[in-house]
Amino acid sequence: MPYGAAPSGHDYRAKDKSARSTNGVSSYRQSQYQAHKSAVKWHEHFRHYLKHHAQSLIQALMQQLRSPFSSLLTYGVIAIALTLPTGLYLIADSVKSMNQQWNESAQISLFSKKSVSLPKIQGLADRLRKHPLVAHVKLMTSKQALAEYKEIYKGRNTLQLLGEKNPFPSILIISLNAALANPESIEKFANKLQQHGETQTILLDTLMVKRLSKLIEIVNRTVLVLVIIFAVGIFLIVGNTIRLEILNRKDEIIVTKLIGANNGYIRRPLLYSGLWYGVIGGIFACIITIISTVYLKTPIAEFSQLSEARFQLSILDANAILIIIALGASLGWLGSWMASYRHLRQIEPT
Amino acid sequence: MIQLHNISKRYPGGHDALSDISFSIEKGEMVFIAGHSGAGKSTILKLIALIEKPSGGQIVFDKRNLKKIRRTVIPYHRRKIGMIYQNNLLLSDRSVFANVALPLEITGYKNKDIKKRVRASLDKVGLLQYENKLPMRLSSGEQQRIGIARAIVSKPSVILADEPTGNLDPALSKEIMDLFVEFNQVGVTVVVVSHDVDLLLRYGERVLTLDKGKLIEDYRKKH
Ligand SMILES: Nc1ncnc2c1ncn2[C@@H]1O[C@H](COP(=O)(O)OP(=O)(O)O)[C@@H](O)[C@H]1O
Ligand SMILES: [Mg+2]
């Protein structure tokens, strides 16, 4: 081993002191110089890398805009593939808001035992009001129930059948919290109420809630299936577009390879091209969706008024727009990555 | 600089394009490769630039055995060589400037340096006034010179030229050859494939002659 090759080496004790110190200094300077040089090199490499990324990003967009018709075709197909699941998602979201209204109207009527005293029932009502599932509780005493009955059936024979005794129990009308209630929790809650000592019987209507909730599950799953199918579609569309681009530019690719470009260098603009297809297709999809919802807004509002359904079409919010564009971008990137990975290796100069 | 050891090449489904070729080119030498059409001249250049792989034998380039170079390193090997192709291989949709700048873009020079070097390179081949034109607008001789400008722009240590004067008239041929001599004088190793007898007689310090894939003569001019 030459002197100074490893100044911090373990054999320095064996060396002559003066020789070690001079060699040590020179080798230190040298290593410092090399460290400096490699730092510059690393820095330069990174700068070149960033520059080429920025260049490819702009170049890829320019390339697409230079042949607007064929680019527009690709944007259009991607936009349609993104619009369909988006539209269905909005419908599902609207139905969900309707479901909340149904849950809100979900009520449990608790008929108390005749023997239970009024203060006890008031105590039960107070306790129930603290339950998270409960929005509010209305207490109808047996007297009030009788009065209401009399009011409804004024002047009919049935009143005489009642005689002097009041046959009505006190009733608690429990409205449930829309945000927290779902068919399962409502049912569980109702069962718990049934266990109370004060309870004679429970009246519960959750059929509509159940139906709607199943409907939502169907729509949710349909949206998921559509998203997957159309995502694969976008992946394939972009992949095929990039494949054609590679074949079109075969000569150019061969020349750049001959001059010393590696696959990464050639692939970069193609990846950004795929990214642009996805991003612009996603923006188009958002525009189509927004125009469609605006177009549908008035008749739906009118229908909702006429049918008392309080149905409102959801609109695309900023989050959804970002997700759609990000989805398009990543699918475009993946599609072009796949195509360029496969086809660039096959194009070699001869 | 470049050594060929018992190189043979057979293209798939073809006959032997080269058989048992051995020679050595020193650093800073200027060498011609002569021979009839189909003798295997271009094939030798392609083997050196790793565009083709030899069927047998070994090539050593700048003390590196090319057989041991991995696929991913081939681009870096090619960047050391300024290659001039028989059919120029210019990109038709880019300006003359962009064509010549390509090797520098790939290697990652700064824009400022690219501008300086491309201009200097175009100036050397006398085409600076055409930098914004498309190559297809120029004559074939001018296109050839753009190819040369692109090959020299990154100042490679080796220039491989495949019939660089094929499309040029004698006066222009002489200009181009003088350019190569100039590069050679500052230490660049230059290999020129040519079958132009006048040129070989005037500039050929050393001429390797091929015939049907065999090296039949390694001639050195006596002084
Ligand atoms: N890609 C190829 N595939 C098959 N045969 C080839 C290929 N390239 C060259 N050849 C053959 O190899 C021989 C040498 O070709 P080449 O090196 O181009 O000759 P030269 O450049 O001296 O004219 C010729 O017979 C040619 O037909
Ligand atoms: Mg040839």
Side-chain angles (χ1 to χ4, degrees):
Chain A
M1 196 175 78
Y3 277 14
S8 60
H10 27 268
D11 53 345
Y12 79 96
R13 265 168 299 149
K15 307 276 193 249
D16 171 84
K17 202 174 181 187
S18 65
R20 184 171 58 83
S21 72
T22 50
N23 275 329
V25 165
S26 80
S27 95
Y28 169 70
R29 279 205 189 119
Q30 197 178 329
S31 69
Q32 200 184 33
Y33 164 74
Q34 274 163 354
H36 175 68
K37 209 171 80 172
S38 77
V40 167
K41 230 178 148 189
W42 175 87
H43 171 257
E44 282 294 299
H45 254 82
F46 192 62
R47 187 193 54 76
H48 170 226
Y49 187 72
L50 285 185
K51 179 186 159 197
H52 191 237
H53 270 281
Q55 260 179 355
S56 305
L57 182 76
I58 296 164
Q59 216 181 67
L61 182 62
M62 291 305 171
Q63 187 99 20
Q64 290 180 8
L65 298 183
R66 235 176 278 140
S67 48
F69 186 72
S70 61
S71 300
L72 214 58
L73 281 180
T74 310
Y75 300 149
V77 176
I78 293 170
I80 290 168
L82 283 170
T83 302
L84 285 171
T86 306
L88 204 67
Y89 162 76
L90 286 184
I91 292 171
D93 199 51
S94 310
V95 174
K96 258 179 235 166
S97 78
M98 221 163 78
N99 185 42
Q100 292 209 333
Q101 292 163 27
W102 285 104
N103 281 350
E104 208 171 313
S105 69
Q107 285 182 343
I108 298 173
S109 305
L110 188 154
F111 295 82
S112 69
K113 285 180 182 152
K114 282 288 290 174
S115 55
V116 179
S117 70
L118 192 59
K120 259 198 159 165
I121 291 178
Q122 274 165 340
L124 175 62
D126 286 340
R127 266 184 285 137
L128 284 176
R129 285 193 182 99
K130 286 178 193 129
H131 195 280
L133 264 182
V134 175
H136 46 87
V137 179
K138 197 180 146 201
L139 168 63
M140 189 183 268
T141 61
S142 54
K143 273 185 195 148
Q144 285 169 333
L146 181 64
E148 198 164 290
Y149 184 85
K150 281 181 172 167
E151 179 67 23
I152 295 170
Y153 295 97
K154 216 181 334 185
R156 300 218 192 134
N157 294 341
T158 42
L159 272 179
Q160 283 144 23
L161 290 177
L162 286 172
E164 282 309 300
K165 273 200 286 183
N166 182 353
F168 292 100
S170 293
I171 304 167
L172 291 181
I173 297 157
I174 304 159
S175 300
L176 297 174
N177 199 333
L180 301 172
N182 60 51
E184 290 77 39
S185 62
I186 292 173
E187 205 132 338
K188 236 171 98 186
F189 182 59
N191 284 337
K192 242 172 71 189
L193 288 178
Q194 186 72 65
Q195 312 296 315
H196 280 285
E198 294 92 339
T199 308
Q200 177 69 39
T201 178
I202 290 277
L203 254 179
L204 166 68
D205 183 11
T206 55
L207 190 60
M208 268 321 277
V209 178
K210 274 188 187 162
R211 276 189 193 148
L212 213 55
S213 149
K214 289 292 166 221
L215 187 67
I216 285 168
E217 200 182 327
I218 291 171
V219 176
N220 272 346
R221 288 186 181 202
T222 312
V223 169
L224 186 67
V225 168
L226 276 186
V227 165
I228 291 170
I229 289 174
F230 283 101
V232 172
I234 292 169
F235 176 81
L236 295 177
I237 290 161
V238 174
N240 193 47
T241 307
I242 298 297
R243 183 183 68 89
L244 290 176
E245 211 163 307
I246 290 171
L247 292 182
N248 270 338
R249 287 163 56 188
K250 193 176 170 193
D251 293 341
E252 183 185 332
I253 290 168
I254 287 176
V255 171
T256 43
K257 277 197 175 184
L258 282 175
I259 291 171
N262 50 20
N263 280 339
Y265 181 91
I266 299 167
R267 186 186 297 146
R268 219 158 282 145
L270 295 169
L271 290 180
Y272 279 111
S273 187
L275 185 85
W276 280 119
Y277 281 129
V279 166
I280 296 175
I283 292 172
F284 279 14
C286 293
I287 293 172
I288 293 171
T289 309
I290 289 169
I291 290 175
S292 308
T293 42
V294 167
Y295 180 66
L296 282 171
K297 202 179 165 182
T298 319
I300 284 178
E302 284 167 3
F303 168 77
S304 151
Q305 248 178 359
L306 288 174
S307 62
E308 291 177 5
R310 285 206 283 154
F311 180 80
Q312 211 180 10
L313 191 61
S314 302
I315 53 161
L316 215 54
D317 58 9
N319 261 344
I321 289 175
L322 280 182
I323 288 172
I324 290 166
I325 293 174
L327 186 70
S330 32
L331 287 170
W333 182 277
L334 275 180
S336 75
W337 192 89
M338 187 68 193
S340 53
Y341 182 80
R342 268 189 55 77
H343 296 288
L344 281 186
R345 328 181 104 213
Q346 290 166 2
I347 299 179
E348 282 294 337
T350 50
Chain B
M1 192 71 196
I2 305 167
Q3 287 100 38
L4 275 70
H5 300 288
N6 311 103
I7 285 296
S8 62
K9 173 67 182 175
R10 173 175 293 197
Y11 286 104
H15 54 280
D16 285 355
L18 294 174
S19 43
D20 200 22
I21 304 270
S22 299
F23 61 81
S24 171
I25 296 173
E26 299 308 315
K27 201 178 169 83
E29 239 188 317
M30 179 149 173
V31 178
F32 281 84
I33 299 176
H36 296 296
S37 175
K41 307 184 294 293
S42 300
T43 301
I44 286 183
L45 298 191
K46 284 177 183 171
L47 292 176
I48 295 170
L50 280 174
I51 297 166
E52 294 287 349
K53 286 205 170 74
S55 316
Q58 292 187 343
I59 299 175
V60 176
F61 182 97
D62 201 8
K63 300 184 192 104
R64 269 186 182 227
N65 188 342
L66 294 189
K67 214 175 199 166
K68 292 184 178 143
I69 282 191
R70 275 182 296 130
R71 204 184 146 91
T72 49
V73 184
I74 291 176
Y76 300 95
H77 169 70
R78 289 187 187 145
R79 289 178 201 177
K80 292 186 202 158
I81 299 170
M83 186 123 170
I84 295 145
Y85 299 91
Q86 226 165 339
N87 42 2
N88 301 321
L89 294 179
L90 300 174
L91 300 179
S92 54
D93 62 342
R94 296 187 199 196
S95 68
V96 167
F97 183 95
N99 266 284
V100 177
L102 201 56
L104 302 179
E105 299 270 2
I106 290 169
T107 317
Y109 281 80
K110 290 195 181 113
N111 283 344
K112 203 179 67 194
D113 296 337
I114 290 178
K115 210 165 214 166
K116 221 163 57 190
R117 283 198 179 209
V118 171
R119 292 251 164 87
S121 189
L122 280 173
D123 196 32
K124 263 226 150 31
V125 298
L127 291 176
L128 188 52
Q129 71 273 27
Y130 294 144
E131 61 174 339
N132 294 319
K133 280 220 158 93
L134 288 176
M136 298 307 127
R137 302 263 156 167
L138 306 179
S139 74
S140 59
E142 284 160 341
Q143 287 177 27
Q144 190 100 30
R145 284 191 280 164
I146 295 165
I148 293 170
R150 184 182 63 189
I152 62 176
V153 75
S154 53
K155 299 186 180 159
S157 52
V158 174
I159 289 177
L160 305 178
D162 199 349
E163 315 220 6
T165 58
N167 293 318
L168 306 182
D169 59 53
L172 272 176
S173 299
K174 186 183 169 304
E175 251 176 62
I176 295 300
M177 286 314 301
D178 287 340
L179 256 176
F180 287 140
V181 170
E182 207 179 299
F183 288 124
N184 181 236
Q185 275 162 358
V186 297
V188 179
T189 310
V190 181
V191 181
V192 180
V193 165
S194 178
H195 54 229
D196 185 334
V197 180
D198 283 348
L199 228 56
L200 294 173
L201 287 176
R202 195 201 295 241
Y203 293 94
E205 292 287 317
R206 182 178 175 199
V207 180
L208 301 167
T209 307
L210 291 179
D211 187 39
K212 292 178 190 136
K214 291 197 172 64
L215 183 63
I216 55 169
E217 192 187 7
D218 185 350
Y219 163 86
R220 284 169 205 262
K221 200 181 257 182
K222 291 175 200 88
H223 287 282

